């Protein structure tokens, strides 16, 4: 084993350290530096977007993972309840929501999600109904997203405007729990305008 001379930081006396001791100290200081950097970055993120928005983003991401991949099943349901033959996502969504049977509101609790396939029969809360509508929209080729806000303890479906021929900077917010459809410009936060 090779020894290295080191000096005590407190009193200055000479000490011998092995190569492993030196390596261990370097790893400790590198780890400590990384922890400080990560903490600093986390604080910057929290102060920039706010704790409620961060939690809302995490909840939305978790709910997005619950989406069904059974596109054929949801496409059949969507086409059963709509006769819209246009190209834009707003017209399709309005027609679909108008013809969907009223979905019973059931409080699932904060953690429990009803499977999107069971929502029509069993009902569901805002999370389950949003997952259901996003599954319907995506199965028919339209973009749709779950949008949750922890401050208001509510989730809705957000649908960007899509049309082959026209570009608009708008999105639609659908709340199946209240049969509510609203349209906003992309620059507007719908949570702050309702």
């Amino acid at each position: 084993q090779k020894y290295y001379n080191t000096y005590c930081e407190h009193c200055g006396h000479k000490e011998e350290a092995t190569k492993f001791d030196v390596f261990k100290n370097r790893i400790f200081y590198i780890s400590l530096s990384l922890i400080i950097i990560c903490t600093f970055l986390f604080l910057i993120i929290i102060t920039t977007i706010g704790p409620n928005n961060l939690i809302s983003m995490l909840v939305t991401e978790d709910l997005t993972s619950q989406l069904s991949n059974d596109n054929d099943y949801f496409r059949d349901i969507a086409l059963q309840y709509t006769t819209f033959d246009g190209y834009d996502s707003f017209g399709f969504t309005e027609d679909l929501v108008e013809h969907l049977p009223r979905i019973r509101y059931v409080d699932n609790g904060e953690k429990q999600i009803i499977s999107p396939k069971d929502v029509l029969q069993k009902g569901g809360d805002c999370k389950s109904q949003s997952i259901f509508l996003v599954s319907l929209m995506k199965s028919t080729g339209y973009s749709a997203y779950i949008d949750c806000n922890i401050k208001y303890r509510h989730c809705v479906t957000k649908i960007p405007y899509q049309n082959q021929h026209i570009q608009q900077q708008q999105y639609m917010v659908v709340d199946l729990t209240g049969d509510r459809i609203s349209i906003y410009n992309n620059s507007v936060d719908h949570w702050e305008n309702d």
Side-chain angles (χ1 to χ4, degrees), residues 22-128:
V22 172
F23 176 74
K24 196 168 56 172
N25 278 343
R26 285 184 182 159
I27 292 296
F28 171 77
Y29 286 114
I30 290 171
S31 300
L32 184 62
S33 298
L34 287 174
I35 289 170
I36 291 170
I37 290 169
C38 288
T39 304
F40 183 69
L41 289 174
F42 179 74
L43 290 174
I44 289 173
I45 291 170
I46 287 293
T47 56
T48 304
I49 64 172
N52 284 343
N53 288 341
L54 179 63
I55 294 169
S56 296
M57 288 169 39
L58 294 173
V59 168
T60 300
E61 188 64 33
D62 181 48
L63 291 176
T64 302
S65 69
Q66 306 283 334
L67 289 173
S68 176
N69 291 327
D70 191 352
N71 284 336
D72 292 337
Y73 174 81
F74 286 100
R75 188 178 309 109
D76 289 345
I77 290 176
L79 297 178
Q80 175 183 347
Y81 290 109
T82 185
T83 57
F84 185 78
D85 58 357
Y87 297 108
D88 73 279
S89 56
F90 287 9
F92 180 83
T93 304
E94 287 173 343
D95 193 55
L96 178 63
V97 170
E98 182 181 326
H99 292 97
L100 268 176
R102 176 89 171 121
I103 299 172
R104 188 169 53 96
Y105 182 85
V106 176
D107 188 0
N108 304 347
E110 288 191 24
K111 301 283 184 188
Q112 187 178 5
I113 304 292
I114 292 177
S115 166
K117 287 186 174 184
D118 296 331
V119 168
L120 273 179
Q121 291 79 28
K122 294 181 179 180
D125 64 2
C126 59
K127 298 180 300 290
S128 299

Side-chain angles (χ1 to χ4, degrees), residues 137-166:
M137 296 300 292
K138 287 188 179 259
S139 73
T140 54
Y142 291 107
S143 295
Y145 309 95
I146 300 164
D147 189 11
C148 299
N149 188 300
I150 200 74
K151 178 179 174 184
Y152 299 109
R153 301 177 61 85
H154 194 56
C155 295
V156 295
T157 305
K158 189 173 177 180
I159 301 162
Y161 183 79
Q162 287 175 268
N163 185 315
Q164 295 176 353
H165 310 292
I166 303 170

